[in-house]
Amino acid sequence: MAAHPHDELVAHLCRTSPLRPGEAARVIADVLAYFGEPVEEFVRRRHGELRARGLTNDQIFERIAAELPSRRVAPPELSLRQLRRIIYG
C-alpha cells in the first residue's frame, strides 16, 4: 500500500476515533479540499447555499464577509462590493 502524505494524521485519527485507515484518509482529503477551496468558489458556493435558505443579499454578503477570515489561509479582506462582483461580475 502506498504511503499517504499525511500518515501521522491518519494514524492519529485511527487511535483517537473509530475510523479505519482508509476512512481516515478520506476524511483528511475532504477537509483539505474544503479548506483549499479558492475564495471565489467559496463565495459563490456560500451565496448559493444562503440564498437557498431565503436570506437576502445584504444578509448573505455580511455573513460571507464574517466567514472568510476563518478559512484555512485567510484571504485579504474583501469589501461587500468585491463580494458582489464575484457573484455578479
Side-chain angles (χ1 to χ4, degrees):
M1 183 169 138
H4 189 275
H6 302 287
D7 280 336
E8 287 184 45
L9 183 53
V10 169
H12 172 75
L13 288 175
C14 291
R15 279 191 311 272
T16 60
S17 74
L19 295 174
R20 294 184 298 245
E23 295 167 327
R26 282 191 300 277
V27 167
I28 292 166
D30 285 348
V31 169
L32 291 175
Y34 177 82
F35 283 110
E37 183 177 33
V39 173
E40 291 82 7
E41 287 180 29
F42 171 77
V43 170
R44 287 185 187 103
R45 177 178 59 77
R46 286 298 287 151
H47 181 270
E49 291 170 355
L50 296 170
R51 192 78 171 152
R53 292 186 195 167
L55 276 70
T56 65
N57 274 338
D58 287 340
Q59 293 169 317
I60 291 169
F61 293 124
E62 288 287 336
R63 182 169 301 179
I64 291 172
E67 291 175 353
L68 281 172
S70 69
R71 300 300 292 170
R72 184 175 66 130
V73 177
E77 187 172 330
L78 299 175
S79 69
L80 299 180
R81 181 177 182 195
Q82 289 171 309
L83 293 172
R84 284 183 177 90
R85 291 188 115 188
I86 290 173
I87 299 299
Y88 299 111

